[in-house]
Amino acid sequence: MKKVFVTVVTIVCLSGLMACSGGKDKLGTGQNPDGTQVVGNGLLSEDYRQGNASAELDGYLMRTEQGYYYYSKSRKGFRYYDITMGKDMFLCNKPECKHDGNAFCVATNENYTVLNYCLDSNRIYVYAMDETDTQYRLKVLSLALDGSELNEVATVLTLEKTGRKLVFDGENFCIHRNNVMIALDIKGENEYKDKGLCGTAILNLNTGNVMYMDEEAIATDNPETKEVHAYGDYFYYYQRVKKKNVLHRYNIVTGMDETHKFQPGFSGLYAVLGENTIAYLKTNLSAICFYYYDTGETIECTDFTGETFFLDDNGELQPKEINYIPERINGDGTYAYAVDFSEIHTETGKNGEEKEWRESYVFAYGEDGKKIAAVNMAKGIDEAVPEGVELFYWAYWMGMRFLGEEIYVELPEKENRERYHVFKCKRSDFLAGNPKFEHVFVME
């Protein structure tokens, strides 16, 4: 979740919760994300998936060979969609559980306010907040994939209450090779007037130890950490210093934190393409820059050409090329993707006839900065929408996730913005300019 408004309410905290055993519905049991069996209780050392953070949506896409996990805002709990059965259920395997927020329900436990979540090492890790009469406590929790248990991994920060109402932001929560980087971002009730508290924590999942990047764990003078990603031995993030956005990379092996100078105009929106390359969007949206660590060289790409239409004298749509303006950038570790806002175009001909078409462009680039494809994904998604479903079209660009050989899009319904339809296509089809989307399941 990106932001959670917290009032001063007393909540009881349980340090370790064993939920529910047995169950009529089969949840994701005892398997790694690739379908292999789990051996023992040791943590896997998994890499962060570059393209899993979407432009605007909360959390990460959590998929395994057997199904999908997600957090439901409307039902206030973690849920599991089983691919084979086509069934959606709460992530709790206690048959008699009411899933009503009780302290022994893994899925809906109201003792914690969920801020963010990620699937890693055969578990769902949750960045969450709980509170007592006198304290707010930011924690990392671990949920079993079969819904059998919820445990506290570590307390990341304890904050004494002062009577001030607070907003907790959990957007930047990144797990990589058994390390977790968390941007501690806490604001007052009026975040535009009240100066916030900032900090950056790194949790070692193997040891449970927490360290902080600043002298004080959290303070009003600490720089705000944004856009946390990871690749290889590094966490990447940026901070704004003296009106400039500065990219950092923190080495999880040596503990060294480096900064690198980009050309003027680094927007803070970027993608990591391997050990050597950063692709980033310029502040004025005029170009995507490709920066190479080994040479310090920067290449600018301004090719955002795509195909739209115009209405000819006969009232027919004819294609024409125009230059688009990308608003976001993402990447899957190999390719960079510039994403433009979704648009609905209408034109009226000489005789009053009106034609409408939709556009939602994504531009794909290689590590060399050359454009590979310009894809209007609107048509492919529209062809895959279930009968009778009307989606909120303006959100087409928001929920894209680039996960290696598959690209996912999550889209809300027009009349119910808490009900999301998940679509996917093959990356190879996407890069060929002809994505064939299929409807996967519904999150609600």
Side-chain angles (χ1 to χ4, degrees), residues 65-84:
E65 291 293 322
Q66 297 75 41
Y68 296 85
Y69 298 82
Y70 68 97
Y71 183 81
S72 171
K73 290 182 181 179
S74 61
R75 298 183 182 182
K76 299 179 181 179
F78 285 94
R79 296 184 64 83
Y80 171 70
Y81 175 79
D82 186 279
I83 296 174
T84 302

Side-chain angles (χ1 to χ4, degrees), residues 48 50 174 176-177 181 229-237 248-254 256-258 260 272 275 293:
Y48 167 74
Q50 282 299 313
C174 180
H176 179 62
R177 297 184 180 181
M181 178 174 276
H229 302 290
Y231 193 95
D233 290 337
Y234 298 96
F235 278 117
Y236 293 78
Y237 62 97
H248 292 244
R249 64 175 187 176
Y250 171 82
N251 192 306
I252 60 176
V253 178
T254 66
M256 296 294 293
D257 188 55
E258 308 169 356
H260 295 269
V272 184
E275 296 279 1
Y293 279 102

Side-chain angles (χ1 to χ4, degrees), residues 134-352:
T134 60
Q135 294 178 331
Y136 296 113
R137 300 180 294 194
L138 294 172
K139 299 183 176 184
V140 173
L141 314 176
S142 172
L143 278 65
L145 294 188
D146 64 356
S148 63
E149 64 178 10
L150 182 159
N151 294 308
E152 292 189 359
V153 176
T155 297
V156 176
L157 181 75
T158 298
L159 188 66
E160 301 296 326
K161 287 184 176 179
T162 63
R164 180 188 183 196
K165 294 180 181 179
L166 300 177
V167 175
F168 290 79
D169 191 327
E171 180 176 1
N172 287 287
F173 171 74
C174 180
I175 303 179
H176 179 62
R177 297 184 180 181
N178 296 342
N179 291 276
V180 188
M181 178 174 276
I182 305 172
L184 304 172
D185 188 357
I186 304 170
K187 295 180 174 64
E189 183 177 4
N190 187 333
E191 61 180 283
Y192 299 104
K193 292 183 179 180
D194 298 341
K195 195 168 184 180
L197 298 167
C198 295
T200 307
I202 297 180
L203 164 65
N204 186 316
L205 293 174
N206 293 317
T207 64
N209 293 333
V210 180
M211 62 158 286
Y212 304 100
M213 298 290 288
D214 303 285
E215 290 186 13
E216 293 186 62
I218 192 164
T220 57
D221 294 332
N222 286 347
E224 185 177 357
T225 292
K226 297 182 178 181
E227 291 291 325
V228 178
H229 302 290
Y231 193 95
D233 290 337
Y234 298 96
F235 278 117
Y236 293 78
Y237 62 97
Y238 86 88
Q239 295 177 335
R240 189 162 183 81
V241 180
K242 295 181 180 179
K243 298 183 180 182
K244 291 185 179 181
N245 296 323
V246 179
L247 185 74
H248 292 244
R249 64 175 187 176
Y250 171 82
N251 192 306
I252 60 176
V253 178
T254 66
M256 296 294 293
D257 188 55
E258 308 169 356
T259 59
H260 295 269
K261 291 184 178 180
F262 292 153
Q263 293 180 355
F266 170 46
S267 66
L269 302 177
Y270 68 97
V272 184
L273 305 183
E275 296 279 1
N276 188 48
T277 310
I278 300 292
Y280 66 89
L281 191 61
K282 293 193 75 171
T283 303
N284 61 8
L285 309 181
S286 63
I288 293 178
C289 297
F290 293 79
Y291 171 81
Y292 304 99
Y293 279 102
D294 59 353
T295 64
E297 180 187 12
T298 298
I299 295 176
E300 283 196 7
C301 177
T302 58
D303 186 356
F304 306 131
T305 304
E307 187 177 88
T308 186
F309 300 93
F310 71 95
L311 210 59
D312 65 16
D313 292 340
N314 297 319
E316 298 296 327
L317 290 177
Q318 300 296 335
K320 69 174 182 179
E321 287 190 342
I322 64 171
N323 207 48
Y324 290 85
I325 301 175
E327 302 287 342
R328 299 286 302 190
I329 188 170
N330 206 333
D332 57 17
T334 303
Y335 302 100
Y337 303 89
V339 183
D340 192 15
F341 286 148
S342 304
E343 295 186 74
I344 299 176
H345 295 274
T346 58
E347 280 204 20
T348 304
K350 293 180 178 180
N351 299 322

Side-chain angles (χ1 to χ4, degrees), residues 14-21 91-94 96-97 102-107 109 111-112 142-144 146-152:
L14 302 179
S15 61
L17 298 174
M18 296 296 295
C20 322
S21 60
L91 184 59
C92 174
N93 70 356
K94 183 178 180 181
E96 65 275 16
C97 185
N102 71 81
F104 299 99
C105 180
V106 169
N109 189 325
N111 292 332
Y112 302 99
S142 172
L143 278 65
D146 64 356
S148 63
E149 64 178 10
L150 182 159
N151 294 308
E152 292 189 359

